[in-house]
Amino acid sequence: MPYSLDKTHHSLLSNCIRSLSMDAVELANSGHPGMPMGMADVATVLFTHFLKFYPKDPDFPDRDRFILSGGHGSMLLYSLLYLTGYKDMTIDELKSFRKLHSKTPGHPEYGHTKGVEATTGPLGQGLGNAVGMALSEELLRKRFGQDAQNHRTYVFVGDGCLMEGLSEEAISFAGHMQLSKLIVFWDDNGITIDGKTSLSTSTDQIARFQASGWHTFQIDGHNPEEIFNAIQSAQTSNKPVLIACKTQIGFGSPSKAGSESVHGSPLGQNEIIATKKALGIDYPAFEIPDKASSLWRNFGNRHKEAYESWNKNAPENFKKFLQKKLNFEPLTYLADAWRQEKPTLASRVASGKVLDALIPNNAGLIGGSADLTPSNNTRISGMADITTQMRDGNYIRYGIREHFMSACMNGIALHGGLIPYGGTFLCFTDYMRPGIRLSALMGLKVVYVMTHDSIGLGEDGPTHQPIEHLASLRAIPGIKVYRPCDALETLYSWQSALEFEGPSILVLSRQNLPFLHENTFNPQNIYVLKDEGDITFASTGSEVHLCMDASDLLEKKYGIKARVISAPCLENLNSDDMKLLGKKPILAVEAAAQSVFWAKHSAQFLGIDTFGASAPHQDLYTHFSLTPEAIAQKALRILGR
Ligand SMILES: Cc1ncc(C[n+]2csc(CCOP(=O)(O)OP(=O)(O)O)c2C)c(N)n1
Ligand SMILES: [Mg+2]
C-alpha cells in the first residue's frame, strides 16, 4: 500500500501544522516555531496513516503512544490535537498558547492537556519515558494477549535529546531488550540553540544506534513517500527502530529556514507573510480551510472501529486488572508478627520482607534496581527477570543507569497498568533527580527505594554518604520522602507510599535498627514513642533510637524527661499531627543536613553539614557527635541547664 495522499493534499495538511504553529508563537510573542515547521511532514504521515488513537477517548488503553521528547516543539502537538479533533483543544486554546490556565502551556504537560502522554521539556526525558511505555506494552501483551494490548510507541527526538547522557542509557537498554515496537524519529536538522550541531558534536548517530542493537533508516524528512515507506518497514522490525529524518528547521521560511534564529523566537509578521506565500498558505491566521479541516477530522476518526472492537474484544480480566486496587492484607499479618517478634532489622531488610508479602499478591508491581539488587533488597525470591525471552517477568535489571531508571519508571507509570519501584543508593538520587522531579510534576505512582541512607553506611565513605540529599528531596513539591525508624514503620511507609497517587522515596538504612514500636498501634503519620517531658526530640530513621537512649540518659542522670517523636514522612503531617509535636522546645535529630521543615517549625537541629568519612558506622556517629550523650548535652544547653 503506497501513501494515499498526493503531494497537494499532503502539503495542504502539513501546512496546517506550520501555519498554526507560526501564528500561535507570533500571538504569544514567545515559543518555538522551528521544530513544528520542520517535523510537520513526518507528523502528518504518522498521524494520518499509522498512529492508532481516538480523540473521543484519549485514554483508550490500546492506543499507540506518541511522545514529543523535544517538548519545546509543543505547538506541533497542540496543532495535531486540534486538527484531529480532541475536544479540549479548541482554536481559542491555540490562541491562548503560553497563557495562564490555558491547555497550551509552553511545554506539554501530562494530566493538564488530554492527548499529552508525558510532560516533556527537559531534553531526553521523553525518550526515556517512551522506552518505559514500550516495555509496559510488551509485558502486558505477554500477560493478557494481543486483544488486550497491541500498540506501538512513537517518539520524536531532536539533536538535544540525543546529546543528553540519558539518551545513551535509554538507547542501550531498549536495544538490549529488543523493544521492537518502539520507533524513534530523529529530527536531524543539524541545529540547536547555539547554532550548528557541528559546534559541539561529531557523533555518528546511526552507528551509535546500530551499535546498541537498533534498526536504522535515513530519510528525507520532507518526502512523504520516504517517510511512509520507512514507517511501514519499521513495523516489521524485530529491533527498536531509529528513523533519522533530514529536515530543515523552520521549513518554508525564506530567510530563516535552516537557521537557529527560528528555533525559539517568533518569525515576525513580515517573515510570516513571506513564509505563507512560499508555502502556498492563503488563509488567515488561525483559520483552517474547510477541506483541510475535514480531511484532518476524518483521519482523526479513522480508528473508531479499532476502538470499538477493542472495547468489545479486550479480555475482561485485563479490564479488571486495570481497575484493580492493591491488596495490603498480607501486610496486616506481617505487622502482627513483627509486633510479637520485635525484630532488629536494617530498614532495607525490612523493606525486602515487606516486598515478600506484597509481591505475590499484587501482580501489578514491577521491581528493579540500578545494579544494586543485593544491597537494595528489591528482588525477592520468586521474582523473574524481564528479558527478551521472558516477557512475563516482574523484575527489571536496569543496569548502572540511574537516570534512565527514573525516566523508565515514569514511562511505566504513564503507560498505565503497572506500578514500578526501583532501587539504588540514596546518594545516587543525584544521578536521577531530573526524573524524580518529573515523577512529582506529573504526579506518578513511582516508588524509589533508596538504601544506604546516611553516614550509617560506614566504610564506603563520603562519596557514598548522603548529606544534603534528604533536605533536597524534601524540597521537591509533590513527593513524599519516608525515613522509617524500624521494621514496622518501614511496612507502613510502603503501604502509605503505594496508597499515594504520586511518587514516594523510601530512605532506608544499611545498618540494623532496633524495634521501637512496642506500644504504638494504628498507623499514623507521627508516632509519640515517649510522652511527657520538658523537651521534645523529633527524629527520623536511624536516629530515633539514639533519641530514645538520650531520653533515658537524661532521666537517669539529670532527672529530666524528654519526649521522643518519630515522624517518618514530614510531608504527611497534617495540623493534628503537628499538635503532637507539642509546645515544648524541639530538638530535631537527623544524620543529614537540616531540612527547611525543621527551621520552619523553629526546631533546634542536630545533624551533619559537612561531608562524611570512611570508617565503621559506630565510629562515625561518635565522630559526628550523633550519640545519646551528645543529644543529651545539646538538650541540656537548650534547657539552660
Ligand atoms: C535538559 C535540558 N537542557 C537544556 C534545555 C534548553 N533547550 C531547549 S531546546 C534546546 C536545543 C535543542 O536542540 P534540538 O533538540 O536540536 O531542537 P531544535 O533546535 O532542532 O528544535 C535547549 C538547549 C532543555 N530544554 N532541557
Ligand atoms: Mg536540532
Side-chain angles (χ1 to χ4, degrees):
M1 180 188 77
Y3 187 47
S4 79
L5 292 171
D6 62 26
K7 267 208 164 60
T8 316
H9 284 92
H10 172 85
S11 303
L12 178 69
L13 296 195
S14 63
N15 282 339
C16 296
I17 300 172
R18 293 192 176 96
S19 63
L20 289 172
S21 299
M22 279 187 275
D23 293 341
V25 173
E26 197 66 23
L27 186 63
N29 196 23
S30 134
H32 302 77
M35 189 266 234
M37 296 169 75
M39 285 299 276
D41 292 311
V42 179
T44 299
V45 176
L46 178 64
F47 274 67
T48 58
H49 284 69
F50 295 97
L51 193 78
K52 177 170 67 173
F53 65 109
Y54 190 57
K56 294 202 177 80
D57 185 356
D59 300 326
F60 136 62
D62 198 29
R63 69 196 182 279
D64 286 340
R65 305 304 198 262
F66 173 75
I67 298 98
L68 186 72
S69 189
H72 60 278
S74 57
M75 268 312 303
L76 176 87
L77 183 52
Y78 299 151
S79 303
L80 287 160
L81 296 179
Y82 168 69
L83 291 166
T84 55
Y86 285 73
K87 78 173 173 5
D88 286 359
M89 192 53 75
T90 60
I91 199 74
D92 285 336
E93 291 294 346
L94 297 186
K95 288 179 184 167
S96 306
F97 180 50
R98 296 191 152 225
K99 300 252 161 51
L100 193 63
H101 303 314
S102 73
K103 296 276 176 215
T104 48
H107 293 81
E109 292 178 26
Y110 169 76
H112 181 80
T113 311
K114 283 280 177 202
V116 170
E117 300 282 5
T119 296
T120 53
L123 298 172
Q125 294 290 335
L127 177 57
N129 298 158
V131 174
M133 292 180 191
L135 182 64
S136 290
E137 194 269 348
E138 294 275 348
L139 304 184
L140 293 170
R141 178 157 37 88
K142 178 71 189 180
R143 288 189 196 185
F144 295 99
Q146 301 225 354
D147 286 341
Q149 294 280 271
N150 191 11
H151 55 262
R152 294 177 196 280
T153 306
Y154 297 98
V155 50
F156 279 13
V157 303
D159 302 300
C161 292
L162 295 190
M163 279 191 212
E164 291 291 351
L166 171 56
S167 74
E168 183 53 33
E169 298 178 25
I171 291 163
S172 152
F173 181 88
H176 176 71
M177 284 290 169
Q178 294 174 19
L179 300 178
S180 59
K181 294 175 82 177
L182 173 65
I183 300 176
V184 171
F185 298 85
W186 168 31
D187 180 13
D188 179 11
N189 60 18
I191 290 288
T192 66
I193 291 178
D194 273 14
K196 291 199 182 352
T197 48
S198 58
L199 290 171
S200 54
T201 180
S202 40
T203 296
D204 179 344
Q205 294 289 1
I206 301 297
R208 177 163 85 117
F209 276 80
Q210 284 178 353
S212 300
W214 289 57
H215 206 111
T216 61
F217 295 89
Q218 282 173 280
I219 59 165
D220 171 354
H222 299 300
N223 181 325
E225 302 287 338
E226 279 189 36
I227 301 165
F228 180 88
N229 291 339
I231 304 177
Q232 204 168 46
S233 306
Q235 317 268 321
T236 62
S237 171
N238 56 3
K239 301 171 175 179
V241 176
L242 171 75
I243 305 179
C245 312
K246 258 276 173 260
T247 64
Q248 244 195 348
I249 190 167
F251 181 89
S253 162
S255 61
K256 295 194 170 179
S259 129
E260 67 272 21
S261 65
V262 74
H263 161 92
S265 328
L267 274 80
Q269 275 307 339
N270 290 342
E271 188 61 18
I272 288 191
I273 291 168
T275 305
K276 289 191 175 174
K277 191 161 173 226
L279 289 171
I281 297 171
D282 54 5
Y283 39 93
F286 293 107
E287 278 182 33
I288 297 298
D290 289 346
K291 184 165 180 201
S293 186
S294 73
L295 273 171
W296 267 118
R297 292 290 154 105
N298 284 343
F299 282 118
N301 213 26
R302 83 187 183 107
H303 293 289
K304 187 168 191 281
E305 259 171 51
Y307 169 74
E308 282 164 359
S309 122
W310 184 88
N311 274 332
K312 209 158 71 208
N313 300 326
E316 281 308 312
N317 66 340
F318 179 61
K319 291 180 181 164
K320 280 205 189 99
F321 177 79
L322 292 179
Q323 306 297 328
K324 208 169 160 184
K325 294 237 171 348
L326 283 156
N327 176 4
F328 294 116
E329 208 180 313
L331 293 189
T332 337
Y333 305 124
L334 183 59
D336 288 345
W338 277 349
R339 283 200 180 92
Q340 300 287 317
E341 290 165 26
K342 310 186 198 329
T344 290
L345 291 174
S347 49
R348 64 174 171 142
V349 174
S351 165
K353 291 183 188 296
V354 170
L355 290 173
D356 274 329
L358 279 176
I359 300 287
N361 298 285
N362 292 285
L365 288 172
I366 297 290
S369 166
D371 201 49
L372 283 168
T373 297
S375 303
N376 300 145
N377 292 322
T378 37
R379 188 182 191 280
I380 62 154
S381 70
M383 289 186 98
D385 291 346
I386 294 161
T387 66
T388 51
Q389 307 302 320
M390 183 72 184
R391 294 299 205 211
D392 43 7
N394 55 357
Y395 195 80
I396 303 175
R397 302 287 186 174
Y398 285 104
I400 306 96
R401 302 184 184 103
E402 296 84 1
H403 196 173
F404 168 70
M405 179 167 74
S406 63
C408 182
M409 289 202 290
N410 287 343
I412 293 170
L414 284 166
H415 181 277
L418 300 169
I419 300 173
Y421 70 86
T424 183
F425 290 163
L426 179 63
C427 209
F428 303 143
T429 50
D430 287 344
Y431 276 62
M432 51 203 278
R433 210 182 155 80
I436 295 176
R437 186 168 191 270
L438 281 165
S439 309
L441 187 54
M442 292 190 263
L444 302 178
K445 189 179 286 210
V446 171
V447 182
Y448 294 90
V449 182
M450 303 291 104
T451 68
H452 296 59
D453 72 336
S454 71
I455 54 163
L457 68 85
E459 292 85 343
D460 272 344
T463 55
H464 285 51
Q465 292 163 353
I467 297 291
E468 73 282 17
H469 301 74
L470 197 56
S472 80
L473 293 167
R474 283 174 176 159
I476 300 177
I479 196 158
K480 296 197 175 182
V481 180
Y482 291 87
R483 190 162 182 258
C485 77
D486 72 356
L488 202 63
E489 272 191 17
T490 307
L491 180 149
Y492 288 131
S493 296
W494 257 110
Q495 177 163 346
S496 179
L498 288 171
E499 281 168 345
F500 176 48
E501 294 306 322
S504 303
I505 304 188
L506 302 178
V507 175
L508 305 173
S509 75
R510 171 177 184 264
Q511 76 273 32
N512 273 339
L513 303 175
F515 191 82
L516 298 176
H517 278 271
E518 292 189 33
N519 303 315
T520 55
F521 280 96
N522 298 328
Q524 294 167 350
N525 302 328
I526 189 163
Y527 304 87
V528 180
L529 296 173
K530 253 190 186 190
D531 213 348
E532 287 178 37
D534 296 327
I535 185 165
T536 298
F537 297 151
S539 186
T540 66
S542 46
E543 287 70 67
V544 176
H545 74 93
L546 300 179
C547 291
M548 294 290 275
D549 292 349
S551 173
D552 288 346
L553 192 149
L554 273 177
E555 186 159 11
K556 264 198 212 117
K557 230 172 153 175
Y558 303 94
I560 293 172
K561 285 194 166 177
R563 306 171 73 230
V564 180
I565 282 176
S566 172
C569 177
L570 302 180
E571 294 80 12
N572 270 349
L573 301 185
N574 58 35
S575 50
D576 285 340
D577 297 326
M578 291 305 297
K579 282 185 198 135
L580 290 177
L581 272 180
K583 294 207 156 47
K584 297 287 155 64
I586 298 169
L587 174 59
V589 183
E590 290 188 308
Q594 184 175 13
S595 293
V596 170
F597 178 92
W598 299 122
K600 215 154 90 182
H601 296 283
S602 349
Q604 301 269 350
F605 187 72
L606 190 60
I608 305 175
D609 55 10
T610 63
F611 289 117
S614 171
H617 76 267
Q618 298 89 340
D619 296 348
L620 291 173
Y621 272 86
T622 309
H623 177 72
F624 286 103
S625 297
L626 282 165
T627 57
E629 293 74 22
I631 297 167
Q633 285 305 321
K634 177 117 184 170
L636 289 173
R637 282 200 298 279
I638 292 170
L639 293 172
R641 303 282 281 269

